[in-house]
Amino acid sequence: MKVLTIAGVTLRRMVRDPLSLFFVFVFPLLLVLVIGATFGEGFQPRIGIVEGNGPTADALAARLRTLDGFTPRTVGSASEAADGVSRGAYEAAIVIPDDGGSMLAVQVVVRQGSSARQIRTVIEGAVAAEAAVLRAADVLVAEGLRPNLREALETVDQVEQLVPGFSVVERSVDDSPNDRPIGTFDLGAAQQLVLFTFLTSLSGGAALIQARQWGVSRRMLATPTSARTVIAGEALGRFGVAIVQALTIATGSSLLFGVYWGPLLPATMIIALFAAVSAGASMLLGSLVDNDQQAGSLGVFLGLAAAALGGAMVPPEIFSPTMRNISHLLPHAWALDAFTEIVRRGGGVDDILIELGMLSLFAVVILVAAATAFRKTLTTS
Amino acid sequence: MDPSAPPLLNCSRIRKTYGDLVAVDDVSFHISPGETYGLLGPNGAGKTTVISMIAGILDADSGKVWVAGEPMHPRATKAKTAVGYVPQDIALYPDLTACENLMFFGRLVGLAGSTLKKRTKEVLRLTGLSDRADDRTSTFSGGMKRRLNIGIGLIHQPRLLILDEPTVGVDPQSRNAILESVDTMADEGMAVLYTTHYMEEAERLCDRIGIIDDGKIVAEGTQRELIEKLGGHDKLHIGITGYGLPAANAAAMLDCVIRVSLGDTAMELIVRDARSSLAEIVNTIVETGAEITGIEIEEPNLEAVFLHLTGKALRD
């Protein structure tokens, strides 16, 4: 019961602090909202189209406007398009030159990054497909089979319906044919969850330092309460904060944005184990650092660094093999692997045993180290 | 205070080292129920380490501490139940209310349910904080925080109260209230271990005093015993008119008088206990026909004893 009493105070103090409340509950959900609104289901990249002059350029522009999966925007000039892309007004821009010569060299303007690469690939494919249609229509006009480009295009469209076509389905070597279709939204939310659960926990280490500075922790030891109980209570309190935050992100994003977190049991196990790791990290930082302000800054730095290395800030898919190995020195990577398995491949507990085992190992090692360090702070001086 | 009662606190040859530093060296003392014991020493003398061992926060390297007949150590449950610890720092959660702080520590000392609620109300009343019970302690004045800090130590009605410099930074009014509370609690049979930087507090409150320096108790006893151990005696200035020499000679014959010097209008006597022997001295002088125009007693104080023993002022 005393363990619960001490843990309860940690939770109560967190709830009393408006700043903590914002960073624990509101901010992660806001980020999920932003990421969801940007990349989630129903998201259509905005494409700026700079139209050239001439029938072919007009026809290509008209057809690009009808492409599925994009929201077209007319842009006045190539420089305006580049500016819009760099400012984020459009995810990409297509600059169609004026007719002339045998080749219509269409320019695709994108930013660097994995999503830009995907968008560029899709646009290039679409432009190539439309260019093929236009060339076929041009041939029909040139051969005198159709009087003008408009009728020629109608004919080509009709023929296209009758002739079997080709489609390309991309599959990574890591993917299974049974993979659930998934938007960036889903895994983006998992990344936010591990990032913020760990980051907030580390920042929360400052509260432990405050309790030490105020002498409250030592005072607890003067009551008939063992050091083990105090440590367990403090750890449980931090675990409580971490798991409440993680569950809020999971539940909130699921209810608000339809994020799929996989089957309940394995998802809960991942969240619980990662919360335990985060609680241990919080206690460890709170025990090793003597200044609460330093701990706050250090917590943010370490939290962001761990998230970046662990694949919670940038997609782990873009990591080199070496970096992927390094990322697995951090619990984030194991948690994200586990989420990928249950979310994308419909895996269950059996399929993520290794990931759960590694998270358990991280939790035990960090909690034991934290308990040892915290005990030392309590029982010396 | 019942001197025949078994001591509530017994420290026997406790020792604590940190590496090569001997923080506490062979310290022994005891406190009886109803007794207020002052532990005085300059900063770094080892007071807080001694208190930490008595409160069960630290384990002694050697020696023993018993509280209410139970051995005290960090894992002791029974002994800790008998102790109320009031640390020098204001050890409260500023983001919790006074009531929540009391209930939190009340639960840690084993109180629950209606007993906890009742004691919380009583302590709030005792500390004069009933009307601020539901306010966060971050909004309290320094004096209010100090009072609550002490209140937490009293929540379970301990038999031994440890007060580690409880009046630091407190306004005179709150300080007086705290001292009166300590007096009252001792009168009710509570044993009190009191450390302070204020000599007048020790003189006012403490039945016995231990002076600690460099981790050792260098002197112990009542205030008077300590003074006498150093050969300190009271000085009596008596203004007289009339027959000065016979009066001085008569006074010199008294057992309590050690030395007499006679001036033109006054005599100065070195006496053993000026307050208890004053009537006898005055009667003797008056009987010689001299007329007393004024009396002034100058007693050696604890500050002088402390300075003599440690070579430092108490606030050093």
Side-chain angles (χ1 to χ4, degrees):
Chain A
M1 280 304 290
K2 286 181 183 177
V3 170
L4 292 179
T5 299
I6 296 167
V9 161
T10 304
L11 282 171
R12 184 174 288 177
R13 291 185 59 214
M14 186 267 290
V15 170
R16 292 271 166 87
D17 181 5
L19 204 61
S20 290
L21 277 182
F22 176 78
F23 280 106
V24 169
F25 299 119
V26 181
F27 192 58
L29 279 177
L30 278 177
L31 271 185
V32 172
L33 172 66
V34 169
I35 290 170
T38 310
F39 299 113
E41 287 171 11
F43 163 69
Q44 290 200 327
R46 292 153 298 181
I47 305 295
I49 300 175
V50 182
E51 298 177 12
N53 294 315
T56 306
D58 288 347
L60 179 59
R63 294 187 69 87
L64 285 174
R65 287 179 188 289
T66 63
L67 279 177
D68 288 338
F70 294 97
T71 303
R73 295 271 189 276
T74 301
V75 183
S77 67
S79 62
E80 197 181 320
D83 184 50
V85 171
S86 67
R87 283 188 292 105
Y90 324 113
E91 276 64 43
I94 303 169
V95 182
I96 306 170
D98 297 341
D99 284 3
S102 58
M103 177 71 74
L104 200 64
V106 175
Q107 212 181 359
V108 178
V109 183
V110 290
R111 275 173 295 177
Q112 294 298 316
S114 63
S115 61
R117 185 164 51 91
Q118 289 171 341
I119 291 170
R120 188 179 64 200
T121 305
V122 172
I123 290 174
E124 283 172 353
V127 169
E130 296 311 315
V133 170
L134 280 169
R135 287 184 74 107
D138 277 343
V139 169
L140 291 178
V141 174
E143 295 293 324
L145 296 171
R146 287 291 180 274
N148 56 47
L149 189 63
R150 188 177 58 77
E151 286 189 27
L153 281 170
E154 284 174 5
T155 303
V156 173
D157 282 342
Q158 287 165 4
V159 170
E160 197 179 21
Q161 302 297 319
L162 299 173
V163 178
F166 300 93
S167 68
V168 177
V169 176
E170 184 184 333
R171 190 167 74 79
S172 144
V173 288
D174 297 327
D175 293 344
S176 143
N178 299 323
D179 277 1
R180 174 183 174 276
I182 187 166
T184 311
F185 186 90
D186 286 352
L187 287 181
Q191 289 176 320
Q192 298 309 311
L193 185 143
V194 297
L195 189 160
F196 275 97
T197 304
F198 198 76
L199 179 66
T200 312
S201 293
L202 279 183
S203 303
L208 192 64
I209 296 169
Q210 288 172 338
R212 280 167 45 209
Q213 287 174 336
W214 296 330
V216 175
S217 302
R218 276 172 67 83
R219 189 171 205 167
M220 287 184 213
L221 290 183
T223 66
T225 308
S226 67
R228 190 178 300 175
T229 303
V230 174
I231 292 164
E234 294 285 5
L236 185 64
R238 267 131 202 93
F239 174 76
V241 172
I243 201 159
V244 164
Q245 180 183 28
L247 289 176
T248 303
I249 295 172
T251 311
S253 60
S254 176
L255 292 175
L256 295 174
F257 316 121
V259 172
Y260 177 65
W261 290 93
L264 184 63
L265 180 63
T268 308
M269 289 175 78
I270 299 167
I271 287 173
L273 284 172
F274 194 76
V277 173
S278 303
S282 170
M283 273 192 74
L284 190 60
L285 186 71
S287 304
L288 295 178
V289 180
D290 288 329
N291 180 307
D292 58 333
Q293 289 178 335
Q294 273 178 4
S297 311
L298 196 60
V300 171
F301 171 74
L302 291 176
L304 291 175
L309 283 175
M313 286 178 81
V314 289
E317 289 80 11
I318 67 165
F319 281 177
S320 68
T322 307
M323 272 305 295
R324 292 201 76 166
N325 288 335
I326 290 172
S327 73
H328 282 83
L329 294 174
L330 291 156
H332 302 57
W334 294 98
L336 289 172
D337 283 356
F339 273 124
T340 303
E341 184 63 37
I342 65 169
V343 172
R344 294 186 69 176
R345 296 171 196 137
V349 174
D350 291 350
D351 301 304
I352 55 169
L353 283 178
I354 293 174
E355 287 82 1
L356 293 178
M358 286 306 296
L359 286 173
S360 303
L361 186 64
F362 272 111
V364 169
V365 169
I366 295 176
L367 278 168
V368 168
T372 307
F374 186 51
R375 178 186 282 270
K376 200 174 169 188
T377 66
L378 290 177
T379 54
T380 52
S381 85
Chain B
M1 180 179 70
D2 178 6
S4 63
L8 195 66
L9 168 70
N10 199 346
C11 294
S12 174
R13 308 195 67 178
I14 55 174
R15 180 182 165 89
K16 184 76 185 173
T17 56
Y18 296 107
D20 293 336
L21 175 73
V22 181
V24 174
D25 189 10
D26 202 25
V27 165
S28 300
F29 66 95
H30 68 272
I31 307 178
S32 300
E35 184 180 23
T36 300
Y37 186 95
L39 191 61
L40 305 188
N43 284 333
K47 298 190 297 290
T48 301
T49 308
V50 168
I51 281 178
S52 296
M53 287 188 278
I54 293 170
I57 296 168
L58 292 179
D59 221 346
D61 294 342
S62 62
K64 295 282 182 193
V65 177
W66 286 273
V67 176
E70 298 288 338
M72 174 61 93
H73 51 80
R75 296 158 302 286
T77 308
K78 280 188 180 175
K80 284 186 179 180
T81 308
V83 176
Y85 170 56
V86 180
Q88 185 177 344
D89 300 321
I90 296 176
L92 309 169
Y93 285 114
D95 34 13
L96 298 188
T97 67
C99 187
E100 288 168 340
N101 269 292
L102 284 167
M103 294 190 86
F104 171 69
F105 283 102
R107 286 193 184 96
L108 293 189
V109 291
L111 302 180
S114 57
T115 310
L116 176 60
K117 285 181 185 167
K118 183 175 160 238
R119 278 302 298 159
T120 301
K121 278 187 182 172
E122 285 173 0
V123 171
L124 284 167
R125 195 175 57 246
L126 181 75
T127 52
L129 294 170
S130 297
D131 56 339
R132 300 291 303 270
D134 296 322
D135 292 344
R136 293 189 194 184
T137 59
S138 57
T139 65
F140 284 11
S141 68
M144 290 163 77
K145 287 177 186 170
R146 280 278 166 205
R147 271 145 51 199
L148 182 60
N149 201 35
I150 294 172
I152 287 171
L154 295 170
I155 186 78
H156 59 305
Q157 295 173 297
R159 296 172 67 189
L160 169 66
L161 182 65
I162 300 171
L163 294 161
D164 192 1
E165 306 205 16
T167 58
V168 170
V170 169
D171 61 275
Q173 195 179 354
S174 294
R175 188 176 171 193
N176 202 42
I178 289 169
L179 297 183
E180 280 178 9
S181 301
V182 174
D183 254 346
T184 306
M185 287 180 282
D187 288 345
E188 289 171 357
M190 191 182 283
V192 180
L193 174 58
Y194 196 96
T195 76
T196 180
H197 268 143
Y198 300 112
M199 199 59 78
E200 62 275 19
E201 284 183 9
E203 288 171 345
R204 172 177 163 181
L205 286 177
C206 301
D207 300 308
R208 283 188 307 129
I209 290 163
I211 294 178
I212 185 170
D213 192 29
D214 289 333
K216 292 181 181 178
I217 297 271
V218 292
E220 186 189 48
T222 62
Q223 187 182 336
R224 177 139 298 281
E225 284 168 350
L226 287 173
I227 290 166
E228 284 180 356
K229 271 180 195 172
L230 294 178
H233 299 290
D234 297 343
K235 200 181 275 184
L236 207 53
H237 298 272
I238 301 178
I240 51 167
T241 56
Y243 308 99
L245 188 58
N249 287 335
M253 300 297 289
L254 293 172
D255 288 344
C256 59
V257 175
I258 296 163
R259 196 171 69 237
V260 179
S261 346
L262 183 61
D264 291 340
T265 57
M267 67 172 81
E268 190 176 275
L269 294 83
I270 304 297
V271 298
R272 284 203 174 79
D273 183 350
R275 289 185 190 279
S276 62
S277 55
L278 183 61
E280 185 185 8
I281 293 169
V282 168
N283 285 337
T284 304
I285 292 171
V286 170
E287 280 170 8
T288 63
E291 190 179 334
I292 295 176
T293 56
I295 297 174
E296 190 181 316
I297 299 174
E298 190 180 312
E299 291 173 317
N301 61 19
L302 214 45
E303 185 84 45
V305 175
F306 190 87
L307 193 63
H308 177 84
L309 287 170
T310 66
K312 301 160 193 159
L314 188 54
R315 288 183 183 81
D316 284 351

